[in-house]
Structure formats: structure tokens, C-alpha cells
Amino acid sequence: MRDVAQLAGVSHQTVSRVLNGHPSIRESTRERVLRAMDELRYRPNRAARALVTARSNTIGVLSASAAALYGPVSSIGAIQDAGREAGYYVTVAHLADLEPRGIAAGIDHLLAQAVEGIVVIAPQDTVLDEIAAIGVGVPYVTLQAGHDYAEIELSVDQVAGAKAATRHLIDLGHRRIVHLSGPTEWIEGRARLHGFEAEVREAGLEVLAAPRGDWTAEFGYRAGLEVLQDASVTGVFASNDQTALGLYHAAHEVGRRVPDELSVVGFDDIPEAAHFWPPLTTVRQDFTELGRRSVARLVAEIEGRDEPTPGNIQPELIVRSSTRAV
């Protein structure tokens, strides 16, 4: 720090104030100190700063084992970017399983790093119930947790997205529509199923029985082979884009052309969805914005700022050529 101060022509106390974001530092001085830090490749000692300030400036992310899915990965990346911009480190704990002991171990891992707040990307009842029972002792927000956790939740409206997907098929004239549901232990899976069923009933149509599975293309393929045995089914709303990809495979095997004989809608709008053949109609979720908003809300609470933070996000139906009128 003294070397930085000498190069920048300031006192080491001024360097310390720049590092701690002190508002009294002139912008020209701040820039001079930052240039000196960059030239000397100086990096503050995180542990030493924590001892002095009694703060870790660290946010934890507790993520379910399904974090390899597009949505959680995108949200974690956005949280890391937003945390860095706000002056916070971000550390991630992935849950190896959803048993109470495994959930507690993940929380303990974060708390042992003195995190000042936690973003929970684990929208399963067991995880949220365990967190509430443990009492983590630091502020936390949840992503896609459902109405039971409305005060601490940020989400994309899953029910609205599912209704939009289903309404699109109904408006195209489809009357025999199937939903390949995601896992119902996931709050998102239940919400999408609820939105689908509500929209079908509102249109006076029959809710057709269909398999319920996971988020994988393999499930979409196996379930597709089953539901497409019914030739009267002309529309399918898949729980996510990976499931829709598996359904494409099944449709090809049984000789049902998309969209000529079968219209398909997915959910998430993964980057590959526009390159399916035919390109997939799907519901877009802005995972990046969701991650940014979670950090804004958490940091405001950590720093004791009573200020409004952005709320939930509406999904957007992206219409491509996997759907057509009957």
C-alpha cells in the first residue's frame, strides 16, 4: 500500500480510503491511485481487510445440484458480475443432495466464509424449508421460490409463461394439447403445470394425462414416444427447451413432422433454441436480469439501505417456426 501511495503521490491513508470507497476522495485522486495499483499489480489482502473492517464483503450462492441447467448457470454468472460491480466477492456452494444434512452442510460451507448474505438458487420445497428451520442469521433472497416466500423471492412469472405458451397453441386452433411436465418437487415445475392446466380449462378443453419427469432431453424423448401414440395430439408444451429437443427426436422416429403435424413450444429460450430444426417457439426468461436484481436487493439489505429494488420479471413468448395453425 505504501508503494502505491508513493507512486500515486498520496498518503497511504488516502490509498486505504480509495480501497474502502470513502466518499470524500476526489475523482482525480481516486483515478490516480487506481492507475498506480494497476501498474504495480497491487491487490488488497482480503483477509486483512476483513480483520480491520469486520466485514467480508462476500455474498454466498446456494445452488441445487441441477445447477448445470441453463437457467441457474446464467443466474450465477450474472450474480458474480453484479457482485463484483458492487464491491462484493461471490462464493458458490453446490448442494450434493437435497437431504437435510446435505442442505445444512452447504449452508455451513457458506457461513464458514463469513458471507454477509445469500442468494438461494434451489427452488425445491425441501431446501427452502430447511433454510427456514436452520435460521441462517444473514439476509437472503431466493430465486423462483413461489408465493409462500414472496417477501424474499425474486422470480420470472412461471404461471404467466406457461399460460402464454398454452394460449399460443390454443389460438392456433389446437384442441388436443399435452404438457410434458418438469419435476413437481421443483416449484417451477408445479407452476408451469398449473399455468398450463388453468389455460386449458379456461378454453373449455380437456386436460390430457401425460408423463411427469425431469428437465432432460431423454425424458422428452421417452415421454414423446408415449404421448405421440395418440394421433389426435397436435400440440405439445414442453417443460423446458431440453425436453422439447427430446420430443423432436421422438416425433422424427414416429413420423410426426414439426410443425406440419405437431406444434411444439418450449420454455427458457436457451441459446440453441433458435437453431433447433425447425427453430423452437419458446418462453424467454431473463436469467441475467434476475441475477442482477437479486444482488441489488441483497446488497441494499446488507448495507441497511431502505430503498426500493426491482421486483419480479415477466416472461416473453418467442414465436418461431415450430408452431403453426391447424
Side-chain angles (χ1 to χ4, degrees):
M1 190 179 293
R2 291 184 184 278
D3 292 338
V4 171
Q6 183 177 359
L7 182 60
V10 298
S11 68
H12 73 274
Q13 291 93 340
T14 297
V15 175
S16 178
R17 291 190 185 101
V18 169
L19 289 173
N20 290 311
H22 201 283
S24 67
I25 301 297
R26 289 196 301 269
E27 189 59 32
S28 59
T29 303
R30 187 187 313 278
E31 291 177 0
R32 195 161 70 250
V33 170
L34 292 176
R35 283 198 301 270
M37 288 174 58
D38 187 56
E39 184 175 338
L40 295 173
R41 298 195 176 193
Y42 171 76
R43 296 294 180 269
N45 185 304
R46 180 181 171 191
R49 288 186 67 192
L51 287 172
V52 173
T53 64
R55 291 193 58 193
S56 69
N57 279 80
T58 301
I59 292 172
V61 177
L62 185 69
S63 181
S65 56
L69 294 171
Y70 172 69
V73 167
S74 300
S75 294
I76 290 171
I79 290 166
Q80 290 173 323
D81 290 343
R84 186 163 51 249
E85 290 175 7
Y88 284 77
Y89 302 94
V90 175
T91 182
V92 182
H94 293 286
L95 297 178
D97 59 64
L98 299 182
E99 296 299 321
R101 185 169 61 180
I103 298 166
I107 295 170
D108 287 344
H109 176 76
L110 294 177
L111 295 179
Q113 298 178 68
V115 297
E116 297 187 56
I118 297 174
V119 181
V120 181
I121 311 179
Q124 298 97 348
D125 295 323
T126 52
V127 176
L128 299 174
D129 291 345
E130 186 65 18
I131 291 172
I134 290 174
V136 294
V138 297
Y140 68 97
V141 297
T142 65
L143 302 190
Q144 311 289 29
H147 295 300
D148 291 343
Y149 296 86
E151 292 184 0
I152 55 172
E153 183 218 24
L154 283 167
S155 69
V156 177
D157 192 331
Q158 304 293 300
V159 173
K163 285 187 171 186
T166 309
R167 172 52 57 183
H168 176 65
L169 291 170
I170 293 170
D171 288 346
L172 291 174
H174 296 279
R175 294 297 177 262
R176 301 279 290 175
I177 305 169
V178 164
H179 175 47
L180 300 185
S181 168
T184 52
E185 63 269 23
W186 282 64
I187 293 166
E188 295 160 289
R190 291 201 305 274
R192 293 174 199 177
L193 176 62
H194 173 72
F196 165 77
E197 291 181 344
E199 198 67 24
V200 167
R201 291 194 176 101
E202 186 175 327
L205 302 178
E206 178 185 358
V207 177
L208 303 179
R212 299 179 185 179
D214 52 33
W215 304 112
T216 65
E218 180 64 20
F219 163 65
Y221 170 68
R222 297 295 176 189
L225 291 178
E226 179 179 335
V227 302
L228 294 181
Q229 292 179 19
D230 183 350
S232 70
V233 172
T234 61
V236 177
F237 166 37
S239 56
N240 68 347
D241 294 346
Q242 285 90 347
T243 299
L245 177 62
L247 176 65
Y248 271 36
H249 183 186
H252 177 75
E253 282 202 4
V254 302
R256 298 283 298 278
R257 290 176 299 169
V258 178
D260 297 337
E261 300 166 286
L262 182 71
S263 286
V264 179
V265 182
F267 207 107
D268 285 343
D269 193 28
I270 63 175
E272 296 82 5
H275 303 286
F276 287 14
W277 191 254
L280 180 65
T281 294
T282 185
V283 177
R284 176 177 293 165
Q285 302 194 76
D286 193 340
F287 295 110
T288 299
E289 181 62 20
L290 192 62
R292 283 197 294 261
R293 292 187 184 190
S294 69
V295 171
R297 178 178 289 187
L298 195 59
V299 168
E301 186 170 356
I302 290 170
E303 298 181 354
R305 290 186 274 109
D306 185 16
E307 61 183 46
T309 54
N312 296 334
I313 301 170
Q314 289 301 307
E316 179 185 4
L317 181 68
I318 306 299
V319 178
R320 300 192 180 103
S321 53
S322 67
T323 52
R324 60 173 295 179
V326 293

